[in-house]
Amino acid sequence: MGKATELKCSLCGKIYDPDSNVMTCDDCGIDGTMHVLYDYEEVKKQLPMESLAADPDRSLWRYLPLLPVSDMAAIPSLQVGWTPLYDSPSLADRYEVGRVTIKDDGRNPTASYKDRASAVAVAMAKELGRDVVACASTGNAASSLAGFAAVGGLSSVIFVPESAPEAKVTQLLVYGAQVYLVKGDYEQTVNLAIEAIEANGWYNRNCAINPYLVEGKKTCAIEIAEQLGWQVPDRVITSVGDGCIISSLYKGFWDLLQIGLIDRMPKITGVQAEGACPIHRAIESGAKRVTFQPADTVADSISVGAPRNWAKALNAVRSSDGTTVTVSDREILEAMTELARTTGVFAEPAGVTAFAGFKRMAQDGLLDRQETVAIVVTGNGLKDIVSAKKAVGLPTVVEPNIDSFRAVRA
Ligand SMILES: *Cc1c(COP(=O)(O)O)cnc(C)c1O
Ligand SMILES: [Zn+2]
């Protein structure tokens, strides 16, 4: 069974025993997020390519030997992962790159990439015999945790900024979570949640703090590799808020490299909104640490000024020879309609930000003509229709008779 053997601080490299239940590094504090490591020789034996090909499990649990969960009974039944990877020859033509693929993670059960992490969080909490899970979230991590807690028979306590889109907050309430709408921004919400979780001893689903959540998220990278027949794309592009998804994409490919299922890393490429780009600024300036700043963008899921997983995110970009770019809110909204009208995939603003970044890079001549690119769509468009409406016109209103219809057609 895939049990983690070591936790390693992403800043100072200090090694911890997973049984110590440590979350972040004692020496580095909250910035010292942990890498989760396995006995890769053992994983190699349990995860040969041939047995994967024959495995009928169409969920992220097909990669169980590379996940920290060991109690099968703790695994929630809600299907998660194994989302489609679409080829788009028309986007490849339009932007003059070798191959464009779209990984539609809005197809997960609560409609975002976050489900990969929540599935593992709930399994881990159950394994540890915990009955309350909690997190702070811009919205999707929360609705996802609430959904998986519901099916897993756990209670969930959720902190979201009061600006969270209505659909996400409603999703939480439908799932039966205890929801606290915080009169503040995401950073203030996170800080309150950390204190409340600590004080109450709840299981912490905050992705940058709980080391196992990036492990759930990394399965997206493994799926991309498997869906491409174990060919590594040249570049994988994702939007970046706290930096967990981008770290997880790096970790997924890195793990595959350790067990010999792939032979090189893709360039891990992060896209941030112009109004919330602290990770991009650190990459551009070569800074060792990320400087926090206020955040303002239409893409609420990446409206993060104080990214918690910055150490891993910087490492993911730098170690893979990747890069970061920024896009404006207008580019994000334009990308939303273009992606939907070309591929049929309707994404929320943060969900389409990677595609907006891809367009920007293509237009700036930053992509190779032969490149194979995987663009990760991180959330479904129905999550935030108020923003989506800004990208489109109005429908035509008509009286219920054919003469009125002819009149408005004319
Ligand atoms: C959470 C989220 C992101 C950003 O992920 P981080 O791990 O915070 O960088 C991007 N898109 C969507 C839809 C999300 O919900
Ligand atoms: Zn450390």
Side-chain angles (χ1 to χ4, degrees), residues 9-14 16 25-29 32-34:
C9 173
S10 57
L11 278 179
C12 73
K14 186 167 168 186
Y16 292 82
C25 180
D26 291 343
D27 295 346
C28 304
T33 53
M34 297 285 175

Side-chain angles (χ1 to χ4, degrees), residues 112 114 140 217 239-245 301-302 348 350-351 378-379:
S112 81
K114 300 292 194 294
N140 284 335
K217 286 186 169 181
S239 56
V240 180
D242 263 322
C244 302
I245 291 179
S301 304
I302 52 169
E348 66 165 275
T378 48

Side-chain angles (χ1 to χ4, degrees), residues 30 44 46 58 62 67 83 141 172 185 205 218 271 277 291 304 312 318 326 372 374-375 383:
I30 200 150
K44 223 183 236 179
Q46 294 181 24
R58 292 289 179 259
R62 62 197 273 106
L67 290 170
T83 55
L172 288 170
D185 65 8
R205 186 245 178 260
K218 80 183 176 189
V271 187
C277 61
T291 309
V304 180
K312 281 190 192 173
R318 288 176 176 149
T326 59
T372 292
I375 299 168
K383 288 274 196 170

Side-chain angles (χ1 to χ4, degrees), residues 256-293:
L256 290 177
L257 202 58
Q258 308 314 303
I259 59 172
L261 275 180
I262 60 171
D263 55 8
R264 68 191 170 95
M265 293 292 288
K267 293 186 169 82
I268 304 290
T269 301
V271 187
Q272 295 206 285
E274 277 170 5
C277 61
I279 293 193
H280 171 71
R281 290 211 176 139
I283 293 289
E284 285 281 279
S285 66
K288 271 204 145 126
R289 304 178 67 91
V290 166
T291 309
F292 294 172
Q293 55 178 196

